[in-house]
Amino acid sequence: MSSAPSSTYSAVTLTVNGEKHTLTVDHRTTLLDALRERLDLTGTKKGCDQGQCGACTVLVDGRRNVSCLQLAVAAEGREITTIEGVAEGDRLHPVQEAFLELDGYQCGYCTPGQICSAIAVIEEHAAGWPSAATDDVRPEAGPPPLTPEEIRERMSGNLCRCGAYVSIVEAVARAAADRSAAKEVAA
């Protein structure tokens, strides 16, 4: 007795940068491939295709995600933000501005993943999430100072083959400081 093989394709609706897209994808299609090949959002880069370089980092429900390891079918119902969706119209995101002002890029290949990761790093830090570099992880200690060591640890999943790390750390620090200053003014 043999049963008919089940389909290896599904229709999924992905919400990317605030816009819904319905696609029929092979169950093995990664989010990275769906973004680049099906939705023509090529800002997200394919680097190692093994989750080790961070070039494909996007935000999924506001958290960092290496899209080469995420299946597109598992992203249904989640809010996906790519580098194309971080700016507000013609106004760059503060992290993008800091990267430009402080030369946090060289060839630019890793920059989209670096920026998406940095946006999440700043939010994680502000929420009080510790890192492996955090000395005092007790909740009552509050967020640690966002030192260069903290930033390097938190950004360690994103590689830059050009070695722009010094400028990247400076850009993340500036964007975090600008975020804190804006929150104080708003309060």
Side-chain angles (χ1 to χ4, degrees):
M1 233 182 186
S2 74
S3 61
S6 63
S7 172
T8 60
Y9 288 84
S10 290
V12 296
T13 301
L14 301 177
T15 304
V16 183
N17 302 327
E19 188 176 325
K20 291 189 182 291
H21 302 272
T22 301
L23 309 168
T24 300
V25 296
D26 183 298
H27 294 158
R28 300 166 293 181
T29 302
T30 64
L31 179 56
L32 172 62
D33 288 338
L35 293 170
R36 289 183 59 79
E37 297 172 15
R38 301 293 303 282
L39 299 179
D40 202 30
L41 294 170
T42 57
T44 305
K45 303 299 185 215
K46 184 178 275 202
C48 67
D49 216 17
Q50 298 175 11
Q52 296 179 11
C53 73
C56 67
T57 302
V58 297
L59 302 174
V60 177
D61 295 334
R63 297 190 61 185
R64 301 182 266 181
N65 188 300
V66 284
S67 61
C68 71
L69 297 181
Q70 169 82 51
L71 294 176
V73 294
E76 187 166 34
R78 318 257 324 260
E79 189 67 38
I80 302 157
T81 305
T82 68
I83 192 65
E84 292 91 347
V86 300
E88 293 181 23
D90 291 337
R91 181 182 159 96
L92 294 178
H93 188 281
V95 173
Q96 290 174 305
E97 289 177 356
F99 267 70
L100 283 172
E101 291 169 8
L102 296 168
D103 295 325
Y105 59 90
Q106 288 198 13
C107 78
Y109 194 82
C110 73
T111 305
Q114 296 273 2
I115 289 172
C116 286
S117 193
I119 291 168
V121 159
I122 292 167
E123 293 304 315
E124 291 164 8
H125 175 263
W129 296 10
S131 78
T134 305
D135 289 330
D136 189 350
V137 296
R138 295 174 302 135
E140 59 271 16
L146 196 55
T147 62
E149 293 75 27
E150 274 286 337
I151 294 170
R152 282 193 290 275
E153 172 59 33
R154 291 169 185 267
M155 293 290 294
S156 65
N158 292 82
L159 303 178
C160 173
R161 288 172 178 87
C162 297
Y165 295 114
V166 171
S167 298
I168 290 168
V169 169
E170 290 173 359
V172 174
R174 176 178 293 171
D178 290 350
R179 179 194 182 280
S180 292
K183 290 274 185 186
E184 286 177 19
V185 169

